[in-house]
Amino acid sequence: MITPQEFLDNWDKETYGLVEYDDIVIDTFSLSQESKHFLIKAGLPESAPPFLTFESSAKGGGVRLTEKYNDAESLYRKYIYVGFTGSGHPICINEENDEVIYIDYDKDNEEVVINSSIAQFAESLLVYVDFIKKIKAEKGRRAFIERKASRDLLQWITNRLEEIDPDSFTQGSLWEEELNNFQY
């Protein structure tokens, strides 16, 4: 699993800056020490493919979902809000198990798995950025936007994501849905 320093060393900060989280607030959550350390040391990208946006503590991220959205029911208290998907669904860390998820309000507020941990999520983002570079090299500049990738590249990214986190590629997960959008 990737360390915060390895993520910082490999993330393209020029293209996708990083957001910071308040260590005092993060330390109050019942997350694993590994997740707390990752958020405090590395943070998360300001934005990242596939169309994800993250908010720093200064911009409302790194707080309980019930603090971010005052009208959220108490059952959402276990979620630490960190950002949102391209569709506006909140991206959160489940305080009970450290999973990175998003809440799909279009599907009755269903919890959709992204990754089993922050470190696995960060590593998956790095691999996905590599996937995009490979698509563009193989199929042209617009290939990612047009959702065109070869079978070999789709197999490569599927294998890499499953190696990083076998649970991240289950039916209906973010990564499974994302890759199902591609044509070859």
Side-chain angles (χ1 to χ4, degrees):
M1 203 169 331
I2 196 168
T3 67
Q5 191 58 53
E6 289 170 329
F7 177 71
L8 289 171
D9 291 345
N10 290 291
W11 188 253
D12 180 359
K13 294 175 268 312
E14 299 278 323
T15 304
Y16 309 103
L18 294 167
V19 299
E20 296 178 350
Y21 295 100
D22 184 325
D23 58 335
I24 295 169
V25 175
I26 296 299
D27 275 336
T28 66
F29 300 133
S30 298
L31 298 170
S32 69
Q33 284 304 321
E34 178 185 291
S35 289
K36 288 179 185 182
H37 179 68
F38 206 102
L39 288 171
I40 293 166
K41 173 95 171 136
L44 290 170
E46 288 176 349
S47 65
F51 308 105
L52 308 176
T53 302
F54 299 94
E55 296 184 316
S56 66
S57 290
K59 293 190 176 180
V63 297
R64 292 191 187 284
L65 190 60
T66 52
E67 290 176 43
K68 177 73 176 174
Y69 300 107
N70 294 329
D71 60 345
E73 297 174 30
S74 63
L75 69 107
Y76 295 106
R77 183 169 167 68
K78 68 182 179 181
Y79 298 113
I80 312 305
Y81 171 81
V82 292
F84 53 91
T85 67
S87 299
H89 302 301
I91 300 171
C92 302
I93 304 165
N94 184 332
E95 192 175 24
E96 293 176 353
N97 59 17
D98 283 20
E99 280 185 338
V100 180
I101 58 98
Y102 75 84
I103 298 172
D104 189 341
Y105 53 73
D106 293 327
K107 294 182 181 173
D108 247 0
N109 294 326
E110 176 184 311
E111 184 179 301
V112 178
V113 173
I114 300 176
N115 283 101
S116 299
S117 72
I118 288 289
Q120 289 166 310
F121 177 54
E123 190 170 359
S124 295
L125 292 176
L126 285 169
V127 169
Y128 199 74
V129 168
D130 283 346
F131 172 63
I132 293 169
K133 289 176 186 173
K134 289 175 186 282
I135 289 173
K136 289 179 178 181
E138 185 178 276
K139 299 248 182 202
R141 220 177 101 231
R142 298 197 42 81
F144 173 70
I145 298 297
E146 295 170 353
R147 300 299 201 193
K148 294 179 182 171
S150 68
R151 286 182 191 203
D152 288 344
L153 277 180
L154 286 169
Q155 191 60 56
W156 176 83
I157 188 65
T158 300
N159 291 343
R160 288 294 292 125
L161 290 171
E162 287 179 332
E163 286 170 16
I164 293 165
D165 182 2
D167 294 334
S168 73
F169 215 77
T170 58
Q171 179 73 29
S173 71
L174 175 123
W175 296 116
E176 189 258 350
E177 287 181 3
E178 177 66 14
L179 295 183
N180 279 342
N181 289 321
F182 281 91
Q183 327 159 9
Y184 24 89

